[in-house]
Amino acid sequence: MKLLKPVLFSAVAATILSSCGGSSEILSTPVENVDTVPLKVSELTQAEKENWGHLDLIKDTIPGMSVDKAYSEIIKDKKGKKVIVAVIDSGIDIEHEDLDGVVWTNEDEIPGNGKDDDNNGYIDDIHGWNFLGDAYDEQLEYVRILASGDTSNPEYDRAKAEYDEEYQKTLGQKTQYEQIYQQIKNADEAVAKHLNKEDYTPEDVNGINAEGNETLTQAVGMLKYMYGNGFDSTDKALSAVKEGVEYFSDKLNYNINKEFNGRKTGDNPNDLNDVGYGNGNVMPSEKGESHGTHVAGIIAAERNNGLGANGVANNVEIMSLRAVPNGDEYDKDIALAIRYAVDNGAKVINGSFGKYYSPHSDWVRDAIAYASKNDVVFVNAAGNEGIDLDVKAVYPNDQVDNGPEVGDTFITVGALAPKYGANMVAGFSNYGKINVDIFAPGAKVYSTTPENEYDTKGGTSMAAPAVAGVAALIRSYFPKLTAAQVKQVILDSGLALKTQVVVGGDASNVKPIADLSKSTKIANAYNALILASQL
């Protein structure tokens, strides 16, 4: 199929953007109309917090993607085409009340008969495939390099230096969180005893006169500090800190433990031809394995059904590919998962994962090129270390040393926070004029979690599925557009801002948001559908 070359397409898109009028008004032109938007000074309502990524910058002064506006003014009663979106992630709770109606089913496979009915190499792959088998915890890639004992590996010395630093740092962080947990617990007990009630409020604490009582003074100070950090109850604070303790404990016990080996699939992870491992169970291995379910909900949680969250896209079927453990993913699993998605009908792939060592990165790049050649959009999370990806490579990516891209359908997404202005780029988000394509809502995103629950999470892991949802919308309502055109529509139709923003969470590091990505823009579903309609 003949494709418009990117340079030509950009020129065509620019012409359309500058000529649209009437009902096809594009929010991003003229640019001045966006940069004069007043800052949102009031606290977000609960409804806004749970839906901010779908709101509109002009109307709501929140840097969402204008998803609700797109549905009310463009999609309305239009009938779209079903689009399969593959989510390569941890397990997905496909029985969740807000996802059970959008799960992909392999109609060519007979459930539970132990046969590969469709001859695709996977037995009983009804809703996708589980490349991890029964495993969940895993080492980080640089720890696997050390554990191999192969000192001739060109990455060995870098891995050794990083391990020595990271082990001591993690040990200190675990100890610190344990101490904070105990301090909050002690403060809670002291204040509850003083007030003679366990369910006290911040107002109760502020009203305490602790003069002359050093223990009570310290307790009140601790709770006030806790309130100042956004927690309105000790239960919430203790829960959050406990999660931190568990995170650093897991990191020490599994992720950076050179003696730990989590792989249970029986294959050779260094042999790409050793296939057929894993199983058809795409569900999470435990309730805490919630990442994939959260990502799937951002893309496709059933809209307007009266339940917890709305996905960006309707007309979507989610294909679950469990390949991302609690640790670093194996290159082999990712490469095979991408190829599975392409071969089984996915038109969009979401990859909310990444790492900084990749011994078989060529396998993954070959798979990315395969997706591009087969008309599949791959949406990728930029990563959460607040660094410039033009300087430090993250994997997966679609190029080597900032060189030519292996395909033209790979989109890397940075994360926005729910406040327009200097702090609208999430402090954790990676960026890069060459290697990040666009920014989208990624901080404090409300979505589905296992066992019919919902939660707020943040990361570029949440920004990528927002854009994957936009890609699915375009592919649903404008199915004649190629994957390369869908990518270019998303990049060209974003809102172009001149805002100066804090980068990497460092208040002394301020740059124009336009310098942080290739497109210079933030994603906008409303604009994207208008531009797609013009093509």
Side-chain angles (χ1 to χ4, degrees), residues 274-294:
D274 183 4
V275 297
Y277 61 93
N279 59 55
N281 180 14
V282 299
M283 293 282 285
S285 62
E286 58 185 65
K287 186 176 180 180
E289 187 185 338
S290 60
H291 192 275
T293 305
H294 199 269

Side-chain angles (χ1 to χ4, degrees), residues 339-352:
R339 290 179 179 273
Y340 179 100
V342 174
D343 292 343
N344 289 277
K347 302 309 290 181
V348 178
I349 298 173
N350 187 85
S352 289

Side-chain angles (χ1 to χ4, degrees), residues 213-285:
N213 187 331
E214 184 177 349
T215 300
L216 188 58
T217 299
Q218 290 176 346
V220 170
M222 185 66 200
L223 295 185
K224 287 183 177 179
Y225 176 77
M226 178 191 77
Y227 296 142
N229 280 277
F231 298 105
D232 57 9
S233 75
T234 52
D235 284 345
K236 290 180 181 178
L238 287 170
S239 177
V241 176
K242 186 179 180 182
E243 284 184 14
V245 173
E246 292 170 350
Y247 170 79
F248 292 116
S249 296
D250 282 354
K251 191 171 181 180
L252 287 167
N253 293 334
Y254 310 121
N255 305 149
I256 58 175
N257 181 354
K258 289 185 287 185
E259 306 303 319
F260 178 73
N261 182 5
R263 196 160 184 86
K264 301 176 182 177
T265 47
D267 68 307
N268 179 359
N270 295 309
D271 182 359
L272 190 60
N273 295 313
D274 183 4
V275 297
Y277 61 93
N279 59 55
N281 180 14
V282 299
M283 293 282 285
S285 62

